[in-house]
Amino acid sequence: MSDFSEELIKSTTEDDQGERCELSGTGMHFPWLQKHIETVATGGKKEKDFAQTTSACLSFIQEALLKHQWQQAAEYMHSYLQVLEDSDSCKRQAAPEIIWKLGSEILYYHPKSNVEAFNAFADRMKNIGVMNYLKISLQHALYLLHHGMLEDANRNLSQAETWRYGEKSSSQEVLINLIQAYKGLLQYYAWSKKKMELSQLDKDDYAYNTASQNMLDHSWKTSVNLGALIQIPGVWDPFVKSYVEMLEFYGDQDGAREVLTNYAYDEKFPSNPNAHIYLYNFLKREKAPREKLISVLKILYQIVPSHKLMLEFHRLLRKSEKEEHHKLGLEVLFAVLDFAGCTKNITAWKYLAKYLRQTLMGSHLAWVQEEWSSRKNWWPGFHFSYFWAKSDWKEDKALACEKALVAGVLSGKGCRYFRYISKQDHQVFRKKIKRMKKLVKKYSIINPGL
Amino acid sequence: MDFPGSLRPTVFMTGPLGLSDVPDMSFMCSWRDALTLPESLPQNSENGVPHVAKGLLWEPETPGPLPLLPPGPDPWHPGLTAQDLLFRGGHPFQKQPRVVLDVTEQLSRFLWDHGDIAFAPLGKLMLENFKLEGARSRSKKTTVVSVKRLLQDLDGHQPWGCPWAYLSYRQRRFSILGGPILGKSVANLLGDLLHEELVMRWEQLLLDDAFTGGALAWVPGKTPRVGQLVYPAGSTLDKLYFQEVSLTPGGNPQVLRDPGHIQLRGPVRQVVTRTVQGESLLAVRSDYHCALWKVSRQGRPAPLQVLQVEKGATGISLSPHLPGELAVCSRSGAICLWTPQDGLRRVYKDPDTLVFRDPSPWRWADFTAHPRVLTVGDRTGVKIVDTQGPPGCGLLLFRGGAEASCQKGERVLLTQYLGEGSPESLHSTLHLICTQFSLYLVDERLPLVPMLKWNHGLPSAPLLARLLPPPGPGCPRPLLLGGQDGQLQLLHITGEEASTPRLAGPPQSLPSRNDSLSAFPVLEPKSQWRLQERLKAPTIGLAAAIPPSTSTPILSLFQLSAAGDVFHQCLRLQADPGPDSCAPTVSWSPQATACCSQWLKALLEVPPAPPVWAAPTFSHRRLLGCVEQREVEGKVPEGLRAAMAEGRLLQQRDLGSLPTAEPPPAPEPGPDDELSKRLEAAWEGQAAAWWERRQGRSSGPRQQPKRHKRRTQLSSTFSSLSGRLELSDVTSPPPSPDPEARPRPPGTPPSQELAQEHWARGVPSERQQTLRDYMAKLPLREDALEDASAPPSQTSSIRATRSRQRTLQDNTAKPPLQRDTPEGAFVPSSQTSSIQATPSRQQTPVLSGSQRIRKKPRMGF
């Protein structure tokens, strides 16, 4: 029992220790401060022999781990366990966490360890102290999950779920929610397995009914398990995805929409692009009106203008009747090509070449000029340099042609990229290059006469 | 670009650092990170998810890095340590020792060693005469001091270095009367400034962020195997060297040609290189200047631009997108973008830190996947700033707070954009953020939520990081992390575009320069110490290259130390080493040890750094005058006088060869039983002296043992003379005629018998008795008294020389600040013992010289 009360005062003593390491003024902590102090400290309380050996042992373990000497680390670990009997309560409290962290790492990588050994270690560690039960249970379950032992993992999570100690702190609550959510995920796996089986069964079969009944049961349990966690701010992609899939399967479209809308638009959540992508995909499946889809993608465009869905967004905008959408369509294309990861996206260049022509034909020169004005001082160097002309032509001639057309339209015939490509002589692309030159002559926004 | 379809579950909490109520998801192990949640079906996880190669291990070819280039010709000094700055007294009642800056000692040392600087300006500020406080009744003569005369007395010299130095009456009066005023003003003025300086030095010792980013760069050359190392060297790191290096297929680099260098006007702090669109660019940051070079295909640098940063530059980065573009950060909080088209443009300015208040002026900027968007970082967080948007706005990419479950006191030390600009790179949106505890990978598309967090546990500040290209197709990318004290960690980052970045396998530590110590031959302690210091010098640069190889991938790792040394290490990838492999132990090859000894030889030829502190000088004008008045002859006094005039240490060579008496033929000694002698000495507690003698035997003439032998022989011969001549009788009544016997430090063997021996020698034995009788009649006691009351100038002069000589020796023998350390205490004691061990040789001639002058007339009569 004394353990427990010690653990409760642990947090305050830890703070004190932090205070001591702090250098007055900056508030920064230096893990290497102690090393400096030790070189000068002559007085003060010396560390006890016990503390010295355990801290030396700890550093040996860490060193062995970083050198991948699992065997050696295990041997040191054997000796390190004595720290659990440290007379310094502060150290004794911190020990289980360190032992779990290092021990699980050794057991995970040790060539001779197996799942049984890991299980035994985890079960032992869970019950040393009370603060780590939930964390260790969760990690243990993940380990089992990774090794394909779903039932064991599920059992573990169920046990942890019902565990309580003292007054529920908020961190405990989050952990319990997390455990429940993982349990829900496991149930989802089982459910989706059943769904697969069901799809292979005949609807008139007797077995079909029992199976579908089973699935209903699962769904209900899962929704309870998953629902609580995804209210808490965080990144819950796998949970949301599986939850929505189940809701959709049972026809609860409104519930699914609510979950996704909440996940995407709640201010307390981080701006997770996936939340918007999931919502968009859901709405697409639901065959929502174009306006709705555009509004969802508009927000994704604000967050991640380089996402591959932006090309789809552009298509939607192009098809729209509104003029402002047409303008936005141009903006989106320019924005996609701003990013270093998209410079060789031939679809984007193709779209831009086509859409530029379309826009200029529709006498919206101002739109193009507006987009170009912020880019004219760096796009030539970034996209239309001589280096890229050469390398693009060598690697991807179709891409080079599309880019050359855009380059010619935007920065005129004098552009190096355009000049290089237009001088190339290639059987397949001869026609294309000729057409390109013609288009540039016709539509270039740079008026050579001026 | 594709975004990972499903991110790792994370709790998102807003709040300050060290929020205790956050379920600590960083309670993660590296294996935990290797786990991925199966996307849909568990069956896939069993066999579908590739079991990450468990032991992706880079095996070093040698136990430690080897020196690549010979050490530079300039001496190097390791600089201040904690011992120089902190108060050494312990607090007996405190559980943990506290950091207390030792201002008092520094101040007293300053006043002591540089009194001229501390006090002279005050004197100059005073009027020509000034009145000191005093009773009215006192005469003008005692209260008014002429500053002119006072300064004349001081005149560039100062007596504080030596307690025996001559103080004029004026000075004494002045110091007694003016002491309180002077002491206060000097202490007040200096104390504040000194404290400020010490705080700064101490902070710098804890974290020296000047070299953030690293000052070593690998500029790829025409072929993938050839490249250039660019690094600063020289005692002040103000020469930028360009060393061409070729990597052999075996991994060992070969130095081609002598390095070219460019002399700069300030110390180089950071060297950055990028190859953008086939153009290699090199940016260099100094304290107040930044410069940009273009490196041609032949490897010749051509200067492009030099920028002056008035407040001091803290970081420079080259754009991976546009050739020649760079971002410069200044201490004032401004971030400037330099482009060949637009020139210098300030894109951001905020003297305050981003998230919470932190006093550090350190700022950092780097590029992002968008060529017109920069990251701006300080100790508290990192922000994404659009250079084309309205000034000052932007999103926080990383917040030192609960979002990334940061610890209390955690601060950003380094941020780095991991993309390379080319669309092929998988991590074109990833940013690395290092704090003193952890490493974070953040995707700029999902700000605030780290994609990966790893507690690196480095025992020094991680200021260097390099992401390397994958060593082979499908391999994870190695990420090198370097601590300031030389520790290196290698992490494997995996993750294709559509999945989150993960650690592939457990991180690995690489050997540091300290591990190379075993490759060097064992040296005598002083040189060994020097070598250790040199190997321990902070790492200020890190570069790596993976040359294209046929079979196993090779990693060539270069590190630059603050002493300007470039070390190299070669590592081989051992993918999936099998179950029975633990890291194989490698040993030093003969080539490696030969390389080390050669380097060491060159290092020891470099003269050691001159001491930071020089012994104080004091006025010896008067003393010189006294000496000159005397008619002296002989080489010894002349040497003494010359040494005094120049104010330097009196050395053996100044005294010339000393008259040595022919030793009497000694009987053939028995077999030299060293062990028993040593034991004998040890029993008598003089093992150290014995060792000293033994050491000295090989170099100098065998003085000590010979004399000892001679003396025993003498005593034995004398005792064989049937007690007719009992010298001990003679020696006891007259005290030593040597006036110098008194100030001799305790523990000195009385030189009386030697002195007696000296005068007794050469006198025929039949006349010795007469002489003894004669001597007994002499009023030697009065003589001694007379000596004591002899002209003060003379005694003091000699005494001062002696004591000065001693202080000088003390001071040159050890740095003044280590006076209390055991090593410091050991050195002078051995030195004094060596001085004391030969008193008759060193001092008696001098003294007998002066003695002769005094004795002559007496003898004559």
Side-chain angles (χ1 to χ4, degrees):
Chain A
M1 214 44 212
S2 64
D3 265 22
F4 295 177
S5 49
E6 267 171 7
E7 283 192 33
L8 292 176
I9 56 164
K10 175 185 162 194
S11 56
T12 53
T13 48
E14 261 181 356
D15 278 0
D16 285 355
Q17 210 160 8
E19 218 70 65
R20 256 180 251 137
C21 301
E22 193 176 296
L23 176 79
S24 61
T26 64
M28 183 171 171
H29 281 207
F30 298 97
W32 48 90
L33 177 67
Q34 194 59 32
K35 190 180 70 192
H36 282 297
I37 291 179
E38 269 160 22
T39 61
V40 278
T42 48
K45 210 163 134 189
K46 279 261 155 36
E47 260 197 331
K48 280 186 192 140
D49 293 349
F50 184 79
Q52 276 176 14
T53 52
T54 48
S55 69
C57 191
L58 179 63
S59 64
F60 281 140
I61 298 172
Q62 280 161 341
E63 205 184 308
L65 284 181
L66 280 172
K67 286 183 176 158
H68 297 199
Q69 297 165 340
W70 314 116
Q71 191 74 47
Q72 224 156 335
E75 279 163 31
Y76 286 129
M77 197 68 209
H78 197 261
S79 314
Y80 185 68
L81 295 177
Q82 65 170 353
V83 76
L84 290 169
E85 267 134 60
D86 199 324
S87 56
D88 184 346
S89 69
C90 198
K91 278 197 182 135
R92 197 165 60 233
Q93 293 317 314
E97 192 174 321
I98 299 169
I99 291 176
W100 165 250
K101 214 164 157 176
L102 299 175
S104 65
E105 184 128 350
I106 294 169
L107 285 175
Y108 187 83
Y109 290 111
H110 198 292
K112 283 179 192 148
S113 90
N114 48 27
V115 179
E116 285 74 44
F118 195 95
N119 285 345
F121 176 67
D123 287 335
R124 195 78 45 86
M125 287 310 298
K126 275 179 214 170
N127 294 310
I128 296 177
V130 290
M131 301 311 268
N132 301 314
Y133 188 89
L134 292 177
K135 285 182 193 173
I136 294 175
S137 292
L138 186 55
Q139 290 192 32
H140 186 195
L142 283 174
Y143 175 88
L144 292 169
L145 183 62
H146 185 67
H147 284 78
M149 302 164 76
L150 298 186
E151 275 163 36
D152 292 280
N154 196 21
R155 196 167 48 244
N156 238 297
L157 291 172
S158 306
Q159 269 171 20
E161 196 185 8
T162 52
W163 183 88
R164 289 285 183 283
Y165 171 70
E167 237 175 275
K168 230 202 264 181
S169 68
S170 70
S171 76
Q172 240 185 69
E173 203 176 320
V174 172
L175 271 173
I176 286 174
N177 279 332
L178 205 57
I179 283 167
Q180 284 172 340
Y182 272 105
K183 210 180 138 195
L185 199 65
L186 285 178
Q187 283 159 355
Y188 161 77
Y189 290 149
W191 176 84
S192 88
K193 203 172 157 190
K194 288 230 166 66
K195 201 175 87 173
M196 282 266 287
E197 284 167 10
L198 202 64
S199 66
Q200 284 154 5
L201 282 176
D202 193 6
K203 273 201 179 179
D204 302 327
D205 202 333
Y206 171 72
Y208 182 87
N209 280 329
T210 41
S212 60
Q213 188 58 43
N214 255 336
M215 280 183 68
L216 273 172
D217 279 2
H218 268 295
S219 146
W220 180 78
K221 273 193 265 172
T222 315
S223 65
V224 169
N225 281 327
L226 290 173
L229 180 75
I230 52 182
Q231 303 298 321
I232 299 168
V235 176
W236 311 122
D237 291 358
F239 305 126
V240 170
K241 239 172 142 177
S242 48
Y243 190 37
V244 167
E245 195 188 325
M246 291 171 89
L247 287 175
E248 268 186 283
F249 185 82
Y250 291 107
D252 189 0
Q253 308 293 335
D254 293 336
R257 191 183 300 112
E258 199 194 317
V259 166
L260 285 172
T261 314
N262 184 48
Y263 191 50
Y265 296 136
D266 195 327
E267 292 269 296
K268 287 185 217 118
F269 280 64
S271 70
N272 183 355
N274 278 337
H276 302 277
I277 295 164
Y278 295 163
L279 182 62
Y280 171 73
N281 286 334
F282 171 79
L283 291 173
K284 218 168 107 181
R285 280 197 298 272
E286 226 188 8
K287 306 225 162 35
R290 193 189 291 146
E291 273 304 298
K292 183 86 190 153
L293 293 176
I294 287 176
S295 72
V296 173
L297 285 182
K298 219 171 180 172
I299 294 169
L300 183 66
Y301 168 66
Q302 302 292 333
I303 307 171
V304 191
S306 63
H307 198 272
K308 65 173 179 184
L309 273 182
M310 287 304 117
L311 295 179
E312 212 171 311
F313 183 39
H314 167 75
R315 282 201 300 272
L316 282 176
L317 291 169
R318 204 166 55 190
K319 281 183 210 149
S320 166
E321 283 88 39
K322 283 190 191 165
E323 193 151 274
E324 60 173 304
H325 283 168
H326 293 165
K327 194 183 169 202
L328 186 64
L330 187 69
E331 202 182 308
V332 167
L333 281 181
F334 269 105
V336 166
L337 289 168
D338 276 350
F339 285 87
C342 305
T343 49
K344 296 207 172 166
N345 190 334
I346 186 165
T347 323
W349 283 110
K350 219 180 243 167
Y351 280 0
L352 184 62
K354 204 171 146 194
Y355 202 60
L356 268 178
R357 204 180 57 195
Q358 212 176 314
T359 315
L360 290 169
M361 263 161 62
S363 61
H364 288 299
L365 181 66
W367 294 357
V368 180
Q369 273 171 338
E370 190 187 324
E371 290 305 317
W372 183 240
S373 67
S374 65
R375 292 178 173 89
K376 67 179 173 210
N377 59 352
W378 60 278
W379 265 41
F382 183 54
H383 286 306
F384 308 138
S385 66
Y386 184 68
F387 175 86
W388 284 127
K390 250 166 75 176
S391 93
D392 285 346
W393 182 252
K394 212 167 130 192
E395 282 167 21
D396 189 349
K397 295 192 171 57
L399 172 75
C401 286
E402 297 297 340
K403 268 179 87 172
L405 175 57
V406 175
V409 169
L410 292 174
S411 40
K413 271 195 264 179
C415 172
R416 268 197 278 183
Y417 197 97
F418 175 76
R419 269 201 332 232
Y420 182 85
I421 302 295
S422 58
K423 272 182 205 150
Q424 299 302 317
D425 192 36
H426 194 274
Q427 275 191 336
V428 183
F429 291 92
R430 195 172 292 151
K431 221 173 162 187
K432 210 168 181 180
I433 291 171
K434 212 171 165 188
R435 203 176 128 248
M436 179 187 84
K437 283 188 202 165
K438 224 165 114 187
L439 285 173
V440 168
K441 205 172 172 186
K442 199 169 168 193
Y443 294 115
S444 180
I445 61 166
I446 307 287
N447 194 343
L450 289 175
Chain B
M1 280 186 288
D2 212 351
F3 191 75
S6 176
L7 300 168
R8 204 191 307 276
T10 327
V11 186
F12 182 75
M13 282 215 179
T14 49
L17 295 156
L19 207 64
S20 59
D21 224 16
V22 184
D24 188 11
M25 301 305 274
S26 68
F27 177 45
M28 277 198 243
C29 322
S30 70
W31 65 267
R32 159 87 169 74
D33 194 73
L35 302 183
T36 42
L37 278 178
E39 270 287 308
S40 56
L41 283 178
Q43 285 93 331
N44 293 352
S45 76
E46 249 177 298
N47 34 30
V49 172
H51 206 66
V52 193
K54 268 191 170 182
L56 207 58
L57 188 71
W58 288 90
E59 187 199 324
E61 292 217 318
T62 47
L66 293 173
L68 179 72
L69 303 163
D74 299 313
W76 177 76
H77 192 264
L80 289 178
T81 61
Q83 289 175 357
D84 301 331
L85 296 173
L86 297 187
F87 183 64
R88 271 162 297 177
H91 297 262
F93 302 113
Q94 236 141 18
K95 199 176 165 195
Q96 287 202 327
R98 271 182 59 164
V99 174
V100 182
L101 288 174
D102 200 351
V103 182
T104 11
E105 189 185 335
Q106 295 291 337
L107 191 62
S108 82
R109 282 203 177 278
F110 175 74
L111 297 181
W112 197 253
D113 301 338
H114 304 282
D116 48 348
I117 299 170
F119 300 110
L122 262 177
K124 279 174 191 150
L125 280 174
M126 289 181 223
L127 296 174
E128 199 158 296
N129 295 300
F130 73 101
K131 193 168 184 285
L132 294 164
E133 282 295 318
R136 256 171 195 285
S137 56
R138 289 209 182 156
S139 71
K140 202 180 164 192
K141 206 181 162 191
T142 55
T143 53
V144 176
V145 176
S146 158
V147 175
K148 199 179 155 203
R149 296 296 300 274
L150 207 62
L151 289 176
Q152 223 169 40
D153 283 347
L154 293 170
D155 191 26
H157 310 293
Q158 38 113 5
W160 295 285
C162 156
W164 283 279
Y166 180 76
L167 277 169
S168 69
Y169 181 57
R170 247 190 317 277
Q171 280 171 319
R172 278 180 70 81
R173 190 153 43 99
F174 174 68
S175 79
I176 289 165
L177 287 169
I181 315 159
L182 287 180
K184 220 186 230 172
S185 58
V186 167
N188 281 353
L189 273 171
L190 270 176
D192 288 350
L193 294 173
L194 187 67
H195 187 259
E196 215 172 277
E197 172 76 11
L198 286 181
V199 167
M200 201 195 78
R201 290 296 184 105
W202 169 240
E203 273 167 15
Q204 210 173 33
L205 189 73
L206 282 176
L207 177 66
D208 187 4
D209 56 17
F211 292 104
T212 307
L216 179 67
W218 170 261
V219 183
K222 267 183 281 183
T223 64
R225 290 202 179 281
V226 181
Q228 268 188 335
L229 282 176
V230 184
Y231 60 95
S235 55
T236 47
L237 297 173
D238 57 351
K239 271 183 194 160
L240 192 66
Y241 281 87
F242 294 80
Q243 175 69 61
E244 212 169 309
V245 173
S246 144
L247 299 166
T248 59
N252 286 323
Q254 270 178 343
V255 175
L256 308 172
R257 281 182 277 172
D258 280 345
H261 77 261
I262 298 174
Q263 177 75 47
L264 301 174
R265 257 198 253 155
V268 173
R269 303 296 187 192
Q270 193 190 351
V271 180
V272 191
T273 181
R274 290 252 193 208
T275 303
V276 187
Q277 299 186 9
E279 251 180 68
S280 290
L281 291 149
L282 186 76
V284 166
R285 168 170 64 90
S286 177
D287 286 340
Y288 295 96
H289 292 91
C290 294
L292 181 67
W293 280 274
K294 188 177 159 178
V295 184
S296 70
R297 304 265 306 160
Q298 284 73 38
R300 274 171 211 286
L304 286 183
Q305 180 78 16
V306 178
L307 308 168
Q308 192 184 352
V309 186
E310 234 164 71
K311 289 275 165 64
T314 58
I316 189 167
S317 339
L318 274 172
S319 167
H321 311 295
L322 287 160
E325 209 170 279
L326 58 92
V328 180
C329 330
S330 126
R331 273 172 195 284
S332 63
I335 311 289
C336 292
L337 189 69
W338 187 83
T339 52
Q341 300 91 29
D342 301 350
L344 198 64
R345 193 159 62 89
R346 196 173 77 188
V347 294
Y348 183 81
K349 164 105 193 192
D350 189 3
D352 296 325
T353 41
L354 293 171
V355 181
F356 50 87
R357 281 167 78 91
D358 186 273
S360 169
W362 179 82
R363 295 290 184 278
W364 198 258
D366 211 333
F367 289 82
T368 65
H370 191 295
R372 278 292 163 272
V373 177
L374 296 178
T375 58
V376 172
D378 60 35
R379 292 269 176 255
T380 64
V382 181
K383 197 174 180 180
I384 312 175
V385 173
D386 186 355
T387 59
Q388 292 178 326
C393 71
L395 272 173
L396 270 181
L397 176 67
F398 178 84
R399 223 180 98 102
E403 288 87 347
S405 42
C406 292
Q407 291 180 43
K408 203 175 162 200
E410 191 163 348
R411 297 288 186 274
V412 175
L413 296 180
L414 175 73
T415 79
Q416 200 169 318
Y417 172 51
L418 296 182
E420 269 122 29
S422 61
E424 287 88 22
S425 75
L426 300 173
H427 304 286
S428 64
T429 51
L430 279 188
H431 294 258
L432 169 79
I433 290 160
C434 283
T435 67
Q436 69 268 47
F437 303 115
S438 301
L439 167 156
Y440 303 84
L441 286 187
V442 191
D443 194 303
E444 63 188 51
R445 293 170 294 181
L446 176 57
L448 298 178
V449 184
M451 291 264 182
L452 186 152
K453 176 173 178 174
W454 162 249
N455 192 343
H456 58 69
L458 282 176
S460 62
L463 297 180
L464 310 164
R466 295 278 179 275
L467 184 72
L468 304 173
C475 282
R477 300 184 68 173
L479 174 67
L480 269 172
L481 193 64
Q484 210 170 11
D485 287 352
Q487 301 89 359
L488 288 172
Q489 247 178 45
L490 187 69
L491 299 97
H492 296 279
I493 309 288
T494 177
E496 295 71 47
E497 214 177 330
S499 68
T500 49
R502 285 180 289 120
L503 285 181
Q508 182 193 349
S509 71
L510 302 181
S512 69
R513 270 174 293 123
N514 254 340
D515 295 321
S516 300
L517 193 64
S518 57
F520 291 92
V522 179
L523 297 165
E524 38 106 5
K526 207 175 160 193
S527 304
Q528 184 80 11
W529 180 250
R530 209 171 136 194
L531 173 66
Q532 272 176 20
E533 292 257 89
R534 188 94 173 188
L535 291 179
K536 261 196 273 174
T539 302
I540 58 165
L542 193 63
I546 298 184
S549 86
T550 45
S551 51
T552 46
I554 289 171
L555 174 67
S556 254
L557 183 66
F558 301 94
Q559 26 180 318
L560 174 72
S561 81
D565 300 324
V566 178
F567 276 61
H568 165 261
Q569 172 127 44
C570 183
L571 302 140
R572 250 167 228 284
L573 183 64
Q574 273 203 323
D576 223 10
D580 55 332
S581 84
C582 49
T585 45
V586 282
S587 54
W588 293 105
S589 65
Q591 291 98 325
T593 45
C595 165
C596 285
S597 343
Q598 210 176 355
W599 185 82
L600 180 66
K601 209 176 142 196
L603 175 70
L604 293 179
E605 275 164 19
V606 175
V612 186
W613 183 84
T617 54
F618 70 96
S619 174
H620 48 257
R621 275 179 301 134
R622 281 166 213 284
L623 311 181
L624 269 178
C626 295
V627 176
E628 264 159 350
Q629 277 164 19
R630 306 258 229 77
E631 301 244 330
V632 283
E633 75 262 12
K635 195 161 185 247
V636 173
E638 229 169 62
L640 175 68
R641 214 154 54 82
M644 269 179 78
E646 288 169 37
R648 65 178 163 81
L649 194 67
L650 187 66
Q651 281 170 331
Q652 177 79 61
R653 64 166 184 272
D654 300 320
L655 304 175
S657 58
L658 293 163
T660 44
E662 198 68 27
E668 196 61 27
D672 203 6
D673 188 3
E674 216 163 75
L675 180 67
S676 57
K677 274 187 192 164
R678 183 172 157 194
L679 284 174
E680 216 174 285
W683 272 110
E684 287 163 17
Q686 288 171 347
W690 177 85
W691 178 247
E692 199 69 37
R693 278 202 303 277
R694 231 188 88 72
Q695 288 293 94
R697 193 178 290 177
S698 54
S699 55
R702 308 165 113 214
Q703 311 163 352
Q704 201 66 16
K706 251 186 211 164
R707 190 175 313 115
H708 181 70
K709 210 187 283 169
R710 205 191 304 157
R711 200 157 69 205
T712 46
Q713 275 167 9
L714 270 176
S715 61
S716 66
T717 42
F718 280 137
S719 61
S720 70
L721 283 174
S722 72
R724 222 196 88 204
L725 186 75
E726 210 44 73
L727 273 173
S728 57
D729 283 355
V730 189
T731 48
S732 53
S736 148
D738 177 7
E740 296 314 309
R742 269 164 291 128
R744 190 158 288 169
T748 318
S751 61
Q752 290 159 343
E753 42 180 350
L754 284 173
Q756 290 298 342
E757 205 180 295
H758 191 76
W759 67 255
R761 203 190 306 146
V763 180
S765 59
E766 64 275 10
R767 287 194 59 193
Q768 276 185 358
Q769 185 60 42
T770 344
L771 194 58
R772 208 175 73 185
D773 296 343
Y774 171 66
M775 292 274 289
K777 291 241 164 69
L778 270 178
L780 270 179
R781 264 180 205 290
E782 283 88 336
D783 185 27
L785 282 173
E786 202 182 301
D787 262 347
S789 60
S793 66
Q794 193 188 340
T795 43
S796 74
S797 82
I798 297 165
R799 223 182 290 156
T801 0
R802 283 174 47 84
S803 57
R804 177 174 165 248
Q805 197 172 323
R806 211 175 308 132
T807 48
L808 276 178
Q809 278 168 348
D810 281 359
N811 289 329
T812 46
K814 56 185 175 170
L817 298 173
Q818 289 178 352
R819 200 162 277 189
D820 297 332
T821 57
E823 299 99 275
F826 178 73
V827 176
S829 78
S830 72
Q831 278 225 344
T832 43
S833 76
S834 72
I835 297 164
Q836 286 160 7
T838 53
S840 56
R841 289 189 65 92
Q842 277 233 338
Q843 291 173 352
T844 38
V846 184
L847 301 169
S848 65
S850 63
Q851 202 73 15
R852 223 173 294 147
I853 311 165
R854 293 178 50 75
K855 275 273 158 68
K856 250 180 194 164
R858 281 183 201 278
M859 291 294 267
F861 97 168

